[in-house]
Amino acid sequence: MNKKVGVGLVGSQFVSTIHAESLKMVPDAEIVAVASPTEAHAGNLPGITAFPIFLRMYTTCWQWTAST
Amino acid sequence: MLAMDGIDMIVIGAPNLFHCEIAVAAAKAGKHVVVEKPLCMNLAEADRMIEACKTAGVKLMYAEELCFTPKYVRLKALLDEGALGDPVLLKQSEKHDGPHADHFWDVERSGGGVTMDMGCHAIEFFRWMLGRPKIKSVYAQMGTHVHKDKTKGDDNAIIILEFENGVTAVAEESWTKLGGMDDRAEVHGTKGQAYADVLQGNSILTYSTQGVGYAVEKAGNTVGWSFTMYEEIWNYGFPQEFAHFVDCVKNNRQPSVTGEDGRAVLEAIYAAYESAGTGKKVYLPFKTDVDKPYKLWEK
Ligand SMILES: NC(=O)c1ccc[n+]([C@@H]2O[C@H](COP(=O)([O-])OP(=O)(O)OC[C@H]3O[C@@H](n4cnc5c(N)ncnc54)[C@H](O)[C@@H]3O)[C@@H](O)[C@H]2O)c1
């Protein structure tokens, strides 16, 4: 694989903050999406302000719709 | 999200009860999976997750960061080089004053108390440190001493594991330890012993009349003496853990901590609740159809 490894985070609070902070230190990885019931939390993750696709999560786990 | 071409791997940081559903869906979508501890709620879910990843040909890493914690990696190297002789007794414990979110306290969503939440770290630490021999038996003592108003789960636990190679391992777990996180291990061998404390010895001994903005995880009151941690996530090994899995994905290598490891940990957790419930030592393999560990203790 030549490109960066694309990462999707599920969750956006305590441990996901650690995941985002850690992945910032891995040059071969790039977080491209965050799935979370709360968009504002996803936007607060370290290094995730400028870009990606936030997916809003509704009642059951796997009914996502893209918001921004 | 699972339909996005640009995504190669999913990292699951959702509450325990969703781990399985999310992991299976991610695997079916062809994404590699990192799942936070504990692996999931029960052994049937564990089997489904492992099977789904195998069938889809994706990698599954059980995210036990203690296998990447720099101080513990060095501790393991001491044992592996023979500096401590043959291992006789291992100890590991994690303690703080209780979780930060409601799903941890609700046994229906977490599966159990501190044994499920933090005992899982100790169990995988022991397995990893010893080169993953089989666990022979589990004995556990659990209680809810301080947080009865908040949880039906255990807030303190002592877990004793016996490995097939004769090593005994003792885990002490607490949700009632005030004044900041505690995470430490001991290895006692035939030729020496070593003590490794993840947070002490490398944090900043601090005295402040004002209190510290952020000192350490779950610091509580920091007026007066406290300890201020630096590079906290590095000291736990989280960036190292992710560097490892990203390398596995990029270069098609096997993760060093797998779904099978997470399953073995979960089996020992079930055995611990069974032991605490019956007052007896429980021998492995431990089979049960119970869907949440705490139910074996409650009976
Ligand atoms: N390795 C560690 O040391 C460590 C530390 C903390 C937590 N954890 C584990 O990480 C997991 C999450 O814990 P946390 O502390 O981050 O909790 P948290 O409450 O801080 O965050 C949980 C996140 O999951 C999201 N979420 C809730 N329901 C969801 C659903 N159905 N689908 C997708 N996302 C959903 C929440 O919105 C939130 O963003 C738990 O399994 C916990 O055991 C591991």
Side-chain angles (χ1 to χ4, degrees):
Chain A
M1 192 185 283
N2 290 321
K3 68 169 192 74
K4 285 193 179 201
V5 172
V7 183
L9 298 184
V10 183
S12 59
Q13 292 194 67
F14 186 89
V15 89
S16 299
T17 306
I18 296 175
H19 295 159
E21 193 71 56
S22 299
L23 284 157
K24 263 179 23 184
M25 299 182 213
V26 182
D28 278 337
E30 183 178 22
I31 298 173
V32 294
V34 180
S36 164
T38 317
E39 186 176 333
H41 292 155
N44 286 337
L45 288 173
I48 308 212
T49 42
F51 65 96
I53 303 169
F54 298 127
L55 299 126
R56 197 179 284 271
M57 194 212 62
Y58 293 101
T59 46
T60 63
C61 256
W62 290 103
Q63 296 173 322
W64 317 97
T65 55
S67 53
T68 44
Chain B
M1 178 162 85
L2 293 180
M4 291 172 64
D5 281 342
I7 293 188
D8 303 295
M9 60 178 267
I10 297 285
V11 182
I12 303 172
N16 300 349
L17 79 162
F18 298 122
H19 289 187
C20 176
E21 184 180 353
I22 298 170
V24 169
K28 283 189 177 149
K31 312 298 185 194
H32 302 288
V33 180
V34 175
V35 60
E36 263 306 333
K37 49 58 54 174
L39 184 67
C40 51
M41 300 292 274
N42 55 57
L43 298 173
E45 284 189 358
D47 291 337
R48 283 218 302 283
M49 291 166 72
I50 292 166
E51 191 53 40
C53 290
K54 206 166 275 173
T55 307
V58 298
K59 299 175 198 307
L60 172 61
M61 177 166 81
Y62 174 57
E64 178 47 73
E65 76 275 6
L66 295 190
C67 304
F68 299 89
T69 302
K71 225 181 230 184
Y72 289 162
V73 169
R74 188 71 185 93
L75 179 66
K76 179 165 165 37
L78 288 175
L79 182 63
D80 289 347
E81 76 170 44
L84 310 176
D86 294 328
V88 175
L89 169 70
L90 306 188
K91 293 187 179 185
Q92 203 274 336
S93 66
E94 246 189 37
K95 300 179 183 184
H96 58 52
D97 62 0
H100 46 270
D102 58 356
H103 54 91
F104 291 96
W105 300 101
D106 175 7
V107 289
E108 297 306 326
R109 285 184 282 166
S110 61
V114 72
T115 300
M116 181 75 164
D117 182 41
M118 315 216 300
C120 59
H121 286 300
I123 296 165
E124 184 51 22
F125 170 88
F126 297 141
R127 295 180 70 254
W128 165 71
M129 188 60 66
L130 296 172
R132 300 205 172 93
K134 283 206 171 74
I135 299 168
K136 201 170 124 193
S137 76
V138 178
Y139 175 81
Q141 184 104 12
M142 299 179 191
T144 315
H145 298 281
V146 174
H147 299 303
K148 277 203 177 75
D149 56 330
K150 281 197 187 135
T151 186
K152 285 166 75 182
D154 46 313
D155 65 14
N156 278 277
I158 308 270
I159 309 154
I160 303 174
L161 292 96
E162 204 181 5
F163 283 87
E164 64 177 358
N165 60 4
V167 176
T168 303
V170 182
E172 283 177 32
E173 310 300 334
S174 178
W175 272 353
T176 67
K177 186 263 173 195
L178 299 168
M181 186 78 176
D182 193 86
D183 195 314
R184 60 177 79 185
E186 298 178 12
V187 176
H188 299 262
T190 52
K191 302 246 164 64
Q193 64 281 333
Y195 305 86
D197 190 317
V198 177
L199 296 137
Q200 303 303 332
N202 46 341
S203 54
I204 301 164
L205 183 60
T206 312
Y207 182 88
S208 168
T209 58
Q210 310 301 303
V212 176
Y214 179 91
V216 68
E217 182 181 345
K218 298 179 178 70
N221 179 14
T222 54
V223 172
W225 288 107
S226 64
F227 59 101
T228 306
M229 200 54 191
Y230 69 98
E231 297 290 351
E232 193 171 13
I233 68 170
W234 183 88
N235 274 288
Y236 272 109
F238 286 105
Q240 298 88 326
E241 173 183 73
F242 280 95
H244 168 69
F245 192 74
V246 167
D247 173 64
C248 289
V249 169
K250 211 174 156 78
N251 300 305
N252 192 25
R253 289 195 244 271
Q254 276 315 303
S256 62
V257 198
T258 63
E260 283 83 358
D261 294 318
R263 190 195 189 283
V265 169
L266 196 59
E267 184 191 2
I269 289 173
Y270 269 89
Y273 280 94
E274 169 78 7
S275 171
T278 58
K280 291 185 181 134
K281 201 189 232 191
V282 174
Y283 287 87
L284 270 58
F286 181 67
K287 290 194 176 38
T288 175
D289 294 328
V290 168
D291 62 343
K292 289 162 194 139
Y294 83 90
K295 291 182 179 173
L296 295 170
W297 179 48
E298 208 185 43
K299 71 189 175 193

